[in-house]
Amino acid sequence: MTTYEGEPLNILHTIGLDILYPVVRGEISFDKRLDRSRFENALKSVTRVVPEIMCRYEMSNNSFEQITDNVSDLIRDNVKQPDLDAKKWDLMKDPQVRIYWEDNEEKTRLIIYISHILTDGAGSKQLLYLIANAYSNGDAALDGVKNHQEIDWLEKLVSQHQMTPSKQTDHPSEPLLLPHLDTDGSRDYHVGSVELSKDETNRLIEATHLTNTTVNDVVMTAFSRVIQRFAGINSISMACPTDMRKFGPTVDGVQVANFTSRYNLSIDTPLSEPFGELVARVHTEMNEHKKQYQCFDSIKGLLENYQTQPLAELQQVVQDNYHVREIAYTNFGIIDQNKLVFDGVKITQVVMTGGFRTAPMYQIATATYDDQLSLAFNMVGTNGEMIFGMAIARNVADLINNFALSALEK
């Protein structure tokens, strides 16, 4: 079996495995059944581009070792509790993709788990597009498609980067936290999602144009403010992920790998500060971080020491600069409905999230599909904690909608 060399940023997601398992979860619902054999043929085509999906991860030398050549090994059928079953998924022993296939009432639902060691959110979308393209257009659709994992351009940029002269670090002195709820009952696996309507999403986009902000500014600020209310503190600190592919060369193919870093945002703000003013300050602060390429701060130590330091020391560098936060935010951006097409089978819903966090840990994941912005989260918690989690997501949506309406009224 073949071995494939990893890339340094794989190591970002090898820490804190007992706290947060490094996965990207995609759930796709269809209006009728997919053709199973056609789907498996599409998967087989994708392995020519990203063979690592058939591999286990070897942490000791950051490589991927092929353990199967049969794509059916990636699929599990009609599992009653797929997310609970995925708890047993071991990236060090199993393939880097696991798909739960569910046919019900002549409709298919797929829950696709993708290793976050292998790739990030943007890369996961590209992987889904590859599957859809091969399903719709056959094996030849992926002829000549190359997966560009080289990071020489990124290493050069980071080596030239001077660490940002800022008091902000990846370990804020006053982190955002949620209270522990005193709730009874067993802890189960939950996925929650709140969607803005198309009209609400369009209003939000129009409002950001009028206020010279971005959708990311508004959503991240709304989430931060909601958590701040429960934390009862006078500041917000949030790690904002960014896709570093935009800093590199345009490639002919895909980049299914880890190219995400983060901006560390920290702003003093009383709860009495009007939300619109806070959004404007977040926008200004984020622009300053972008000008300074602050996102390179989080990965500079890892890239500069990758060739000379042992794994344990590299992981400590990651812990210092890219640790797992209890409260987290991620943005999958736009999921392209023109690329996520399964010939003749309409998609009715797409939900993308990260790994499952045990309450009161909480991550909101935002994405836009078919002109609708969604706010989603994965939670291991009681029913009471799940209700609380949904309330948080709805409060974020309310803040977003109120901001948009207020901006349009001015």
Side-chain angles (χ1 to χ4, degrees):
M1 292 291 188
T2 310
T3 297
Y4 302 91
E5 185 178 350
E7 40 101 10
L9 298 182
N10 297 140
I11 296 174
L12 290 176
H13 306 285
T14 64
I15 64 169
L17 299 181
D18 56 334
I19 300 172
L20 177 68
Y21 212 62
V23 301
V24 175
R25 181 189 187 275
E27 182 174 334
I28 308 176
S29 300
F30 300 87
D31 70 340
K32 54 186 178 182
R33 289 195 176 189
L34 289 176
D35 184 309
R36 176 60 172 266
S37 62
R38 188 173 175 182
F39 184 88
E40 290 193 10
N41 286 337
L43 266 185
K44 191 170 181 62
S45 299
V46 171
T47 64
R48 293 191 283 115
V49 183
V50 192
E52 291 89 347
I53 68 174
M54 308 290 278
C55 299
R56 72 175 191 88
Y57 177 67
E58 176 52 54
M59 190 182 296
S60 65
N61 62 5
N62 189 25
S63 67
F64 295 93
E65 298 182 357
Q66 185 180 352
I67 54 173
T68 181
D69 57 7
N70 188 347
V71 294
S72 64
D73 291 341
L74 307 184
I75 305 175
R76 299 200 168 195
D77 290 287
N78 298 314
V79 176
K80 287 186 177 180
Q81 294 180 289
D83 296 312
L84 182 60
D85 183 78
K87 184 180 179 181
K88 301 188 291 286
W89 184 36
D90 187 343
L91 296 174
M92 317 305 163
K93 297 178 181 178
D94 302 322
Q96 301 299 292
V97 167
R98 176 174 286 190
I99 300 170
Y100 291 92
W101 186 289
E102 180 182 299
D103 284 327
N104 186 29
E105 298 179 354
E106 299 304 314
K107 298 177 182 179
T108 296
R109 181 179 72 143
L110 300 181
I111 296 177
I112 304 176
Y113 274 86
I114 301 169
S115 163
H116 204 345
I117 297 176
L118 174 65
T119 191
D120 55 18
S124 295
K125 290 193 300 182
Q126 292 185 29
L127 187 60
L128 294 177
Y129 298 155
L130 286 174
I131 296 171
N133 189 9
Y135 182 94
S136 297
N137 302 304
D139 182 67
L142 302 189
D143 284 352
V145 176
K146 180 183 177 182
N147 185 26
H148 295 269
Q149 297 174 291
E150 57 273 8
I151 65 164
D152 53 323
W153 58 270
L154 181 59
E155 289 175 324
K156 182 178 180 180
L157 287 174
V158 171
S159 69
Q160 296 168 346
H161 172 68
Q162 298 297 317
M163 293 292 283
T164 307
S166 170
K167 64 179 181 179
Q168 298 173 20
T169 71
D170 195 56
H171 293 263
S173 58
E174 198 173 40
L176 290 172
L177 300 171
L178 285 173
H180 289 261
L181 297 186
D182 186 14
T183 61
D184 296 327
S186 62
R187 284 189 152 163
D188 298 314
Y189 283 72
H190 305 277
V191 179
S193 179
V194 174
E195 280 189 340
L196 272 63
S197 68
K198 290 190 178 184
D199 285 344
E200 289 170 335
T201 303
N202 287 333
R203 278 201 297 268
L204 170 61
I205 294 170
E206 186 178 352
T208 61
H209 293 160
L210 288 172
T211 57
N212 192 32
T213 57
T214 69
V215 170
N216 184 72
D217 293 332
V218 178
V219 177
M220 182 174 63
T221 307
F223 176 57
S224 300
R225 171 50 60 88
V226 169
I227 301 298
Q228 182 194 11
R229 289 170 177 169
F230 291 106
I233 57 179
N234 289 312
S235 64
I236 57 172
S237 295
M238 187 64 64
C240 176
T242 187
D243 182 3
M244 295 183 293
R245 291 168 179 82
K246 62 191 173 192
F247 302 130
T250 302
V251 300
D252 183 14
V254 295
Q255 290 177 294
V256 179
N258 282 295
F259 285 105
T260 296
S261 187
R262 55 170 56 160
Y263 294 106
N264 287 315
L265 177 76
S266 185
I267 292 180
D268 292 330
T269 171
L271 286 165
S272 58
E273 181 176 9
F275 181 70
E277 293 179 12
L278 179 58
V279 171
R281 287 212 292 138
V282 166
H283 177 74
T284 299
E285 189 87 359
M286 287 296 295
N287 273 353
E288 188 62 27
H289 291 337
K290 291 172 184 177
K291 289 177 184 176
Q292 296 175 334
Y293 295 95
Q294 189 217 45
C295 60
F296 291 161
D297 289 0
S298 294
I299 59 170
K300 186 174 176 67
L302 173 61
L303 292 186
E304 289 183 343
N305 292 288
Y306 180 69
Q307 299 294 340
T308 59
Q309 299 296 327
L311 177 66
E313 293 187 23
L314 292 172
Q315 289 178 319
Q316 184 57 55
V317 170
V318 171
Q319 178 63 30
D320 293 340
N321 298 285
Y322 206 100
H323 79 293
V324 175
R325 294 197 182 199
E326 286 207 21
I327 302 298
Y329 166 80
T330 194
N331 188 343
F332 286 97
I334 295 173
I335 302 168
D336 193 335
Q337 66 189 90
N338 296 314
K339 292 181 179 178
L340 195 63
V341 176
F342 291 79
D343 184 35
V345 188
K346 182 181 177 182
I347 293 174
T348 57
Q349 187 180 37
V350 178
V351 178
M352 290 194 73
T353 46
F356 278 81
R357 296 173 183 245
T358 300
M361 293 180 71
Y362 190 94
Q363 180 187 62
I364 203 85
T366 185
T368 301
Y369 175 75
D370 193 17
D371 300 321
Q372 285 188 259
L373 184 138
S374 64
L375 303 162
F377 64 94
N378 297 336
M379 175 186 287
V380 181
T382 64
N383 285 335
E385 288 168 329
M386 176 58 180
I387 291 170
F388 183 45
M390 284 298 298
I392 290 171
R394 291 191 182 101
N395 283 344
V396 175
D398 288 344
L399 261 183
I400 293 168
N401 284 328
N402 290 339
F403 168 84
L405 289 170
S406 176
L408 295 176
E409 287 172 356
K410 292 181 178 178

